[in-house]
Amino acid sequence: SYVLTQPPSVSVAPGKTASITCGGNNIGSKSVHWYQQKPGQAPVVVIYYDTDRPSGIPERFSGSNSGNTATLTITRVEAGDEADYFCHVWDRSDHAMVFGGGTKLTVL
Amino acid sequence: QVQLVQSGAEVKKPGASVKVSCKVSGYPLPELSIHWVRQAPGKGLEWMGGFDPKDEETIYAQKFQGRVTITEDTATDTAYMELRSLRTEDTAVYYCASDAGASGYDLTYWGQGSLVTVSS
């Protein structure tokens, strides 16, 4: 089965840039979606189809996907960005959705 | 705007079944791909199954095959997820989620979650 690997935690100072990676075999050939989840809340999509940003999501959030790594980048990080972030793909060969283990973003 | 509103919290004993509902508004249910995702306390997201828009069939994660059934009632625009033979490790928040209505595999819209507690 397809596996997505995320770092358990990332820390960043306010105003700096955070990069959260999602590794998978040839993930560049798949569409990657990213979700933000704050405590006690349902996930919210912040990037879908690798690079698209839903309406209402700040331009500070961007995504890229190539080779074996997809990346969620958050520029000018704010305290309100502190949350868990999950990557997600559809694996056609296994006919299954797969989530990464999640990354806890801490704003110092 | 799609809205998904789920049924309330449930407490079940081991071996019992639970059926969680997900009421859809703002978009016709037949034009959405509804999936079910669960999250155990302090853990990550786990996909259970949902509708594959390309093959037009409901598919299930191998882990839950034979124990979960996902259905839809288009008359009431409500989706359901039934999980049988509950174990204590099934204690989790269960979410329904849907794509944006373009037959994709994104999960753009989410319900608020339904807590299912399995305890003797």
Side-chain angles (χ1 to χ4, degrees):
Chain A
S1 60
Y2 195 74
V3 176
L4 295 175
T5 302
Q6 297 182 236
S9 63
V10 167
S11 298
V12 63
K16 300 299 186 183
T17 297
S19 294
I20 298 173
T21 58
C22 177
N25 184 33
N26 198 26
I27 194 174
S29 67
K30 304 180 187 300
S31 292
V32 179
H33 316 291
W34 290 93
Y35 305 90
Q36 175 194 71
Q37 187 181 33
K38 296 182 178 180
Q41 298 183 18
V44 172
V45 63
V46 292
I47 292 290
Y48 48 25
Y49 298 100
D50 297 337
T51 59
D52 293 345
R53 197 174 48 251
S55 61
I57 300 300
E59 291 182 10
R60 302 183 296 103
F61 288 79
S62 64
S64 64
N65 185 19
S66 178
N68 293 318
T69 305
T71 304
L72 172 69
T73 302
I74 311 170
T75 58
R76 302 185 303 282
V77 167
E78 303 173 356
D81 298 331
E82 191 162 280
D84 293 325
Y85 291 85
F86 297 90
C87 59
H88 159 231
V89 302
W90 166 252
D91 180 42
R92 173 141 294 282
S93 61
D94 275 351
H95 254 237
M97 285 191 169
V98 181
F99 287 96
T103 298
K104 181 175 181 59
L105 177 67
T106 299
V107 181
L108 301 171
Chain B
Q1 180 83 345
V2 176
Q3 285 197 310
L4 307 176
V5 178
Q6 299 183 223
S7 48
E10 304 249 20
V11 179
K12 296 291 182 180
K13 293 195 181 302
S17 298
V18 68
K19 192 169 186 177
V20 181
S21 67
C22 174
K23 171 72 173 173
V24 177
S25 62
Y27 213 86
L29 176 57
E31 296 183 25
L32 295 173
S33 297
I34 301 289
H35 292 263
W36 290 85
V37 176
R38 77 177 188 180
Q39 187 170 37
K43 302 297 185 181
L45 302 174
E46 182 175 34
W47 176 74
M48 299 180 69
F51 186 75
D52 181 348
K54 296 295 191 296
D55 293 342
E56 298 185 336
E57 61 178 352
T58 298
I59 54 175
Y60 300 101
Q62 195 165 8
K63 174 177 178 177
F64 299 101
Q65 285 275 5
R67 208 160 65 94
V68 67
T69 302
I70 293 169
T71 56
E72 295 182 359
D73 181 347
T74 54
T76 60
D77 282 330
T78 304
Y80 298 92
M81 184 284 299
E82 181 180 33
L83 186 61
R84 300 176 291 278
S85 302
L86 290 169
R87 310 155 186 164
T88 55
E89 53 266 38
D90 291 320
T91 294
V93 175
Y94 289 76
Y95 294 101
C96 61
S98 82
D99 69 329
S103 298
Y105 295 96
D106 54 291
L107 296 174
T108 297
Y109 301 104
W110 292 70
Q112 81 276 20
S114 300
L115 175 63
V116 175
T117 303
V118 184
S119 173
S120 54

